[in-house]
């Protein structure tokens, strides 16, 4: 299955992005997003330079196709947020994984540790179910898991290794959502899969369906041996509904989760029973669509983004209090999406609305200070862009 993606890297694909200039120096760290393009999905690998700013991005084809969910009123394809997920790309060790929504597949790459924008594609692998929109990988167990949220939906996992890439995805662990392909949303769709810090549990968030009174839920699967258990423990934490992106609070069994029905919540995973319960529901005044989050090692706080309000909201993890609100409206974004905290910085994806260009804003986490606003439009990236992962 090992085939090279180099033939896609014609000169047309090696355009630089925004104000970033190509450099002769190899960057050992990078961020990755996926274009989620309907005709030809690609990874955009963007080097992190030694001062934290981003260099010129490079496109790598995934071999698959992206997709867009349908609006529940008009049944027309929706962008941005075609995938309705956090973590449409994931990194574990020297490996990068991505979902391809409309080819029901996942792609795996090896990251060159000397040059983190240099990716070698192992291949594109069929997953179980339709419309995969989020992926997680465990280096400890050599397992990658993909969630699908179309007509056939659930979780399937495959082992991977450095020589062969991904193996065959195992049987679907059904989530039982009554959906179509592409799915109609945002309600009643999968939001994110992630392994816990110790990689011994796989956690999945699913949004409620208010129309049919189905609550949102967190599904928790144990990893047993080198396999993810077939059955999950499901919980609907009090005060939450549209459970979206989440991140684990380091060295605890607690999570910050976003929820566009209120803002966010801090949840606790009971590792004996696998039940998830609410520690604190967090109302964010003025929020419209709080869907993505990351915890910064520099501040020890969480940052959440809103797909419809151009600001970063910083949340304290002890009490769930709002610490700071940083307005990013000066960048002309129309909402902020997936984000990652790396060292002192936050890398925040803004898809644009078609009129404003897709971009990544680099923010110093401690002061909320914007240090770079990088347009991705030069690479042909559209407002379908989705996901974020980093390699360091
Ligand atoms: C960061 O480093 C890059 C590459 O060396 C340089 O072009 C840029 O001006 C620097 N930016 C800041 C804010 O120091
Ligand atoms: C790093 O890899 C990218 C993608 O293959 C390539 O375009 C770039 O030239 C490489 N950088 C160096 C300094 O070799
Ligand atoms: C599934 O959804 C369709 C369309 O909304 C509806 O007609 C059907 O009754 C639902 N099926 C079940 C089992 O809820
Ligand atoms: C959040 O706000 C809603 C509506 O304003 C209110 O009903 C609810 O009690 C608040 N929850 C918390 C945890 O403050």
């Amino acid at each position: 299955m090992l085939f090279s993606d180099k033939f896609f890297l014609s000169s047309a694909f090696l355009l630089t992005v925004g104000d970033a200039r190509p450099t002769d120096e190899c960057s050992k760290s990078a961020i990755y997003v996926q274009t989620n393009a309907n005709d030809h999905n690609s990874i955009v690998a963007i080097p992190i330079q030694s001062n934290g700013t981003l260099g010129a991005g490079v496109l790598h084809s995934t071999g698959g196709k992206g997709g867009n969910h349908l609006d529940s009123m008009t049944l027309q394809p929706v962008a941005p947020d075609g995938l309705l997920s956090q973590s449409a790309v994931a990194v574990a060790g020297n490996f990068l994984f991505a979902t391809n929504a409309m080819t029901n597949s996942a792609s795996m790459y090896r990251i060159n540790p000397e040059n983190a924008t240099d990716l070698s594609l192992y291949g594109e692998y069929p997953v179980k179910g339709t419309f995969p929109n989020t992926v997680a990988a465990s280096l400890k167990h050599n397992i990658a898991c993909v969630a699908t949220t179309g007509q056939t939906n659930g979780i399937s996992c495959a082992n991977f290794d450095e020589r062969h890439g991904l193996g065959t995805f195992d049987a679907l662990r059904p989530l039982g959502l009554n959906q179509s392909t592409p799915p109609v949303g945002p309600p009643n769709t999968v939001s994110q899969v992630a392994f816990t810090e110790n990689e011994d549990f796989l956690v999945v968030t699913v949004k409620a369906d208010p129309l049919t009174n189905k609550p949102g839920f967190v599904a928790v699967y144990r990893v047993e041996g080198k396999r993810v258990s077939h059955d999950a423990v499901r919980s609907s934490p009090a005060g939450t509904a549209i459970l979206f992106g989440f991140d684990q609070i380091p060295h605890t069994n607690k999570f910050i989760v976003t929820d566009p029905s209120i803002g966010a919540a801090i949840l606790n995973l009971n590792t004996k029973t696998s039940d998830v319960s609410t520690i604190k529901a967090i109302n964010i005044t003025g929020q419209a669509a709080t869907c993505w989050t990351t915890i910064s090692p520099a501040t020890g706080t969480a940052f959440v983004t809103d797909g419809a309000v151009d600001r970063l909201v910083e949340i304290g993890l002890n009490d769930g209090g709002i610490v700071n609100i940083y307005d990013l409206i000066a960048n002309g974004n129309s909402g902020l999406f997936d984000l990652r905290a790396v060292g002192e910085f936050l890398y925040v994806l803004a898809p644009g609305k078609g009129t404003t260009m897709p971009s990544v804003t680099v923010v110093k986490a401690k002061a909320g200070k914007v240090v770079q606003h990088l347009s991705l439009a030069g690479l042909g990236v559209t407002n379908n862009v989705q996901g974020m992962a980093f390699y360091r």
Side-chain angles (χ1 to χ4, degrees), residues 250-279:
H251 318 308
T252 72
N253 294 317
K254 297 173 188 167
F255 295 79
I256 176 124
V257 65
T258 56
D259 183 327
S261 72
I262 48 168
I266 295 176
L267 306 179
N268 183 62
L269 166 65
N270 180 327
T271 54
K272 291 209 167 63
T273 63
S274 299
D275 285 311
V276 176
S277 56
T278 302
I279 297 175

Side-chain angles (χ1 to χ4, degrees), residues 12 76 84 95 152 208 224 227 239 319 354 374:
Q76 291 303 303
L84 294 169
F95 308 106
T152 313
E224 293 157 344
R227 296 182 63 82
D319 59 358
L374 182 70

Side-chain angles (χ1 to χ4, degrees), residues 170-259:
D170 63 11
L172 193 70
R173 296 159 188 77
L175 285 168
L177 308 177
N178 181 14
Q179 265 297 359
S180 53
T181 308
V184 175
N188 195 35
T189 57
V190 178
S191 300
Q192 187 182 349
V193 287
F195 284 95
T196 51
E197 189 177 50
N198 63 12
E199 302 177 37
D200 289 342
F201 297 86
L202 181 75
V203 179
V204 186
T205 45
V206 179
K207 304 169 196 80
D209 187 9
L211 283 180
T212 58
N213 289 321
K214 278 175 64 184
F217 62 90
V218 186
V220 177
Y221 300 83
R222 272 176 193 276
V223 183
E224 293 157 344
K226 288 281 173 192
R227 296 182 63 82
V228 173
S229 62
H230 188 265
D231 297 314
V233 171
R234 291 187 182 196
S235 310
S236 294
T240 67
I242 313 289
L243 294 157
F244 216 108
F246 62 89
D247 199 6
Q248 186 170 0
I249 303 174
H251 318 308
T252 72
N253 294 317
K254 297 173 188 167
F255 295 79
I256 176 124
V257 65
T258 56
D259 183 327

